[in-house]
Amino acid sequence: DAHKADGNSAFSCGDWRRAGQAYDRAVRLDAERWDPELSAQLHCNRSNVRCRWGDIHGALQDVTLAILLNPTYSKALMRRGLIFIDL
């Protein structure tokens, strides 16, 4: 997905605003397609951006949804643990 790739690129450059916008667009478009694995990745990535913004509660919501979509997604499970440490 082009928006996910744009978000990943922006995240790598530390451009949290652009990364967040790209992941938001990707999440909205994915809602029409419903691919649970991709949806979990997108929510997990957006959770990481929200952590960078300081939006810990929004990050927790996104990563929890990622885990609901893919309960064995180890990256999301780890990220949720890190968020709990920040709470």
Side-chain angles (χ1 to χ4, degrees):
D1 181 69
H3 296 297
K4 180 184 176 198
D6 185 36
N8 291 345
S9 174
F11 189 88
S12 294
C13 295
D15 187 347
W16 314 130
R17 183 185 59 77
R18 193 176 107 220
Q21 290 171 341
Y23 292 137
D24 282 342
R25 285 191 299 274
V27 165
R28 280 193 303 274
L29 291 173
D30 187 59
E32 298 171 7
R33 175 172 64 214
W34 192 245
D35 177 349
E37 282 190 38
L38 178 61
S39 293
Q41 292 172 6
L42 294 172
H43 284 281
C44 188
N45 290 354
R46 189 169 69 176
S47 172
N48 198 8
V49 170
R50 287 181 168 184
C51 279
R52 303 290 175 144
W53 288 342
D55 179 10
I56 300 301
H57 288 69
L60 182 59
Q61 287 177 338
D62 267 342
V63 80
T64 298
L65 182 53
I67 292 167
L68 289 171
L69 292 165
N70 184 353
T72 61
Y73 187 19
S74 59
K75 185 176 177 181
L77 292 165
M78 181 193 70
R79 184 161 323 286
R80 187 168 65 173
L82 293 172
I83 291 170
F84 281 140
I85 290 171
D86 285 342
L87 288 177

